[in-house]
Amino acid sequence: MNLLTLVEAQDAMIAKGELWPVQDFEKRRFAFLIEIDASGKCLGVTDLRGAPKTPEATGKLYDAPIIDRTRKPVANLLWDNRDYVLGIPKDNTTKQINNAKERFGVFQHSVEDIRAHVASQGEHFFCLDAISQFYKRPAKLMRERDYQIIRDADPSLRISFRLEGTPYPVFLTPGLDKYLVRSRLYPTPTRIGQCLVTGETGPLGDLHGRIKGVVRAQETGAYLVSFNQKAFDSHGIQGSANAPMLERVTRGYHRFLNVLLMDRLYHIPIGDGNHAGDGSILIWDSTMNGPSIPQVIGTSMMEAVDRENTVQNFRILRDKVIEQGMQPSEVGGKVYTLEMKANSARLAVTFWREDDATTVYKNIVKWFDDMHVTLPKPPPGWPEPMTRYISLYDLLSAMTALSEDQLRLIKESLVRSAISGSPIAATVLPAVLHAFKRSNQEHRGSFVLDLHQYRLTALIELILSRSTGEQPVSLDRTKKDRAYNLGRLFALYEKAQEEAISGLTGGIMNRIGNAMEMPGTEFPSLFKLNTKHMRELSDGTRIWLSKQIAEVFSNLGDSFTDLVYPKTLSNPEQGNFTLGYWEQKTALYAPKAKASGTTATTTATTTQEIEHEDA
Amino acid sequence: MKIRIKGRRACFTRPEFKAERRSYDAITPTAAQGFLESIYWKPEMEWVIHRIIVENPIQFMTVTINEVERPGGSESHSARDVRIQRTSTILCDVSYVVEATIRGNEAAKHVSIATRRLRQKQSFQQPYLGCREFIGDFELLDDKAEIKPVDLDRKLGMMFRARVWSDAKFPGTRHSTKVDDLLFFEAEMTKGVIEIPRVAA
């Protein structure tokens, strides 16, 4: 991974006006703005908070000057929490009251430092005078009801000032931003040297910016580049001198990552933050224009936090990008994938890819092609139409039997495989098979069970396609694979029982796990059960099922007497069992004209069109 | 001389990602130099790396292992008290052909000794690929040996080139303990070949 990519992306965002041009400015949410006039008199408090349980609940987003509070108390520049800005303690304990007094003084001192620094540069800003006057007023700073609004709110919310007649917080006053850089306000001696990221020579930075929002990282942020132990000193070179970088680099790349981490279109969280191994995947492209490939990938893999938008954006993906067949010439630039995991105060880069957007697009199309199995038939009135474009969220929600740890590993592996086109980790198949075997524990007798089994079967098809080669996308009546045919046979036995005993919601279905793992033990008894069930059927149904069972037996062996069921099936064989089971099950409910027994092994048309273009 | 260096795992740690280790995409000239110095080195000579040819596709894997947060040194400590977990992103199945010469007094003599040692697979210590855990294998190639560079063009960014040593007692030599400066160069792989710029003496 190259930090230069992040620095260039940051520069591109600045050029487009999406990131503040002055270093150390990052996006933060502000809950309150204290309105003051030129004399420092408080006119009121503007509450910027939005609806609860939305991102806007903590306020409005502004680019604000950030300092790293490595030790306290250090005040932010013209904004902070209520204990700094107004001296209101977090709670009524003696410790917090004393802290608030100290921080209040530090904040006022910081305002005076800024005024003095600006004056020393020969400039003057009315807003700074106004804030200074605000704190010098002899009476109470604000009305009691304004104090109460802030006291009743969360103490961690951010507060700043707004000068009467201006639409922005004071720190965004045109021309003032360049003074709100801590390293210029309180300069320290800097070294001059060559930057190992850009290759340029210039003043080197010491402190790197913190990256906030990575799952399981500490809330105050973590460092991507860190030398926080003596072990990282080398040949007398200490700390960040081991990796000399320009100040604009050390204070720059993290801004870009922080913007991405705030946006679920670019940020795929892995895990819930409570387990080791949880982290974040970021996907972006060099154009940063939407709807682009990375947004398309990100929205197709979003969590259910915003289910409405997930479904809607996923339909955009399906309709515009895949089914309309975006031409390779329209897909330009590069797509970057970065996975980070937290380790106390540091971040580790665990996955990094830089691909042409065309390659990623092809991989995403192939991803959906590889998981193509027969769609289930929903009952009348089912709200969502069936689609072969299954989002990652839907795949994972079908695996309710698995632990959080397993789901995290599966999600990570699937995202990596979708982007890179690589095989899926070997540990995923056993977990998915386990979920399939346990799927009948819930939602028995309802279509939800079929939906879960469909999604799991599609995932198994994907895994097998990537490891053992192309799989049939519908029932293959001529396939001789024994595990596949055992799956078909199980589906036929299940159908016979269902026809013989109406209203049954369990029965043979409960034995699918054993049948997959130990067919040698299960199938002889299933065969005996089947002969009893067949006697209960009407002539037409019995003949129809018998023909299909006979077809399966002919694929398995020459005759009933020669047939020897395998003692056990390996995981890939169990995967084939699942495919055979699902395809046979859906074929049993398909209209007769469509159940012709032909096999579709070709991949989707869009993929073929792309390959033809490349030839 | 052309020397093939290969191994199952390698980690040429980026200086900026020292804490949670991440490898460069290919072997650095200093790592190649260190590898060759494990085979043969004398104070009056220096290995000069001219070119690195990458033969295998670049593949990474991630490992998380327990390590200690500070080196042993003169004071002893219990590993249990200083244990930390670190993630490392390392290279898999690497194979490089390093084109190198020897510079120094009586260079021809040293070339002759080095050639013999390379042929006989002799080394002072086990050569390794970046970290001591990742041992490497080597062989001397003759002019007719087949070299198949990977068909890949990639900008590798700024790569570590050399340390500038300085010490009042032994200026400019490896006996120095103080590093004055670190040098980097813009590394670019063209059809699997990385040209290494010279460092002024």
Side-chain angles (χ1 to χ4, degrees), chain B:
Chain B
M1 279 183 272
K2 289 184 189 172
I3 304 109
R4 175 172 283 132
I5 293 171
K6 51 200 273 188
R8 286 189 62 205
R9 307 275 182 262
C11 183
F12 310 109
T13 312
R14 286 180 170 273
E16 66 270 29
F17 295 122
K18 233 184 197 196
E20 304 289 334
R21 272 188 225 94
R22 182 161 181 94
S23 174
Y24 279 106
D25 289 11
I27 190 169
T28 59
T30 43
Q33 193 176 351
F35 192 100
L36 296 174
E37 285 175 358
S38 299
I39 297 165
Y40 176 65
W41 178 78
K42 287 269 167 43
E44 61 267 26
M45 60 157 271
E46 184 189 9
W47 284 98
V48 178
I49 312 296
H50 297 285
R51 191 175 293 115
I52 292 169
I53 300 167
V54 179
E55 291 190 302
N56 282 356
I58 299 171
Q59 301 173 89
F60 286 94
M61 66 177 282
T62 306
V63 293
T64 301
I65 55 176
N66 291 338
E67 302 182 19
V68 289
E69 66 181 16
R70 57 176 183 267
S74 56
E75 57 176 83
S76 62
H77 52 255
S78 162
R80 194 188 320 145
D81 298 333
V82 296
R83 186 176 292 134
I84 54 168
Q85 205 166 65
R86 283 166 72 181
T87 304
S88 303
T89 305
I90 62 178
L91 292 164
C92 315
D93 294 322
V94 298
S95 177
Y96 308 106
V97 172
V98 176
E99 293 182 13
T101 55
I102 291 177
R103 180 169 70 188
N105 294 335
E106 296 181 300
K109 177 187 91 176
H110 295 299
V111 167
S112 169
I113 299 171
T115 304
R116 174 173 48 81
R117 289 176 70 82
L118 282 163
R119 284 209 183 101
Q120 294 177 355
K121 302 266 185 166
Q122 289 172 305
S123 60
F124 297 127
Q125 63 179 17
Q126 173 64 57
Y128 54 89
L129 295 161
C131 296
R132 283 187 191 269
E133 294 93 336
F134 308 130
I135 59 175
D137 192 18
F138 58 91
E139 64 172 311
L140 181 66
L141 302 179
D142 57 29
D143 292 334
K144 294 177 195 165
E146 194 184 358
I147 300 171
K148 285 185 190 167
V150 65
D151 184 19
L152 185 62
D153 294 329
R154 188 184 284 193
K155 288 194 176 179
L156 304 178
M158 300 299 289
M159 186 182 265
F160 179 64
R161 179 64 185 93
R163 294 180 186 86
V164 176
W165 299 87
S166 145
D167 189 288
K169 199 171 174 187
F170 300 106
T173 70
R174 288 296 303 278
H175 292 291
S176 306
T177 54
K178 186 172 179 299
V179 171
D180 256 357
D181 208 353
L182 303 170
L183 300 181
F184 299 88
F185 73 102
E186 185 121 21
E188 190 166 347
M189 180 161 55
T190 309
K191 298 282 183 236
V193 179
I194 307 169
E195 297 289 339
I196 309 297
R198 284 198 64 175
V199 176

Side-chain angles (χ1 to χ4, degrees), chain A residues 11 29 37 56 73 80 125 172 196 213 226 254 269 323 326 360 383 409 430 520 588 590:
Chain A
D11 292 342
R29 291 199 178 271
D37 64 13
E56 290 76 23
D80 218 306
F125 292 92
L172 293 179
L196 68 78
S226 165
H254 69 286
E323 288 191 340
M326 216 163 148
V360 174
L409 287 169
L588 287 170

Side-chain angles (χ1 to χ4, degrees), chain A residues 169-244:
Chain A
V170 290
F171 48 78
L172 293 179
T173 303
L176 179 57
D177 53 358
K178 61 181 181 288
Y179 295 110
L180 300 177
V181 177
R182 187 165 174 82
S183 59
R184 285 171 207 158
L185 210 54
Y186 306 107
T188 52
T190 53
R191 298 168 293 127
I192 303 290
Q194 186 189 25
C195 175
L196 68 78
V197 173
T198 62
E200 300 160 359
T201 302
L204 301 175
D206 274 332
L207 205 55
H208 288 250
R210 287 180 191 240
I211 294 161
K212 286 192 171 194
V214 174
V215 172
R216 196 170 158 79
Q218 55 191 34
E219 267 193 49
T220 50
Y223 294 104
L224 191 60
V225 178
S226 165
F227 303 95
N228 60 349
Q229 301 284 350
K230 275 186 73 66
F232 307 132
D233 295 347
S234 174
H235 297 287
I237 301 177
Q238 293 177 335
S240 58
N242 282 286

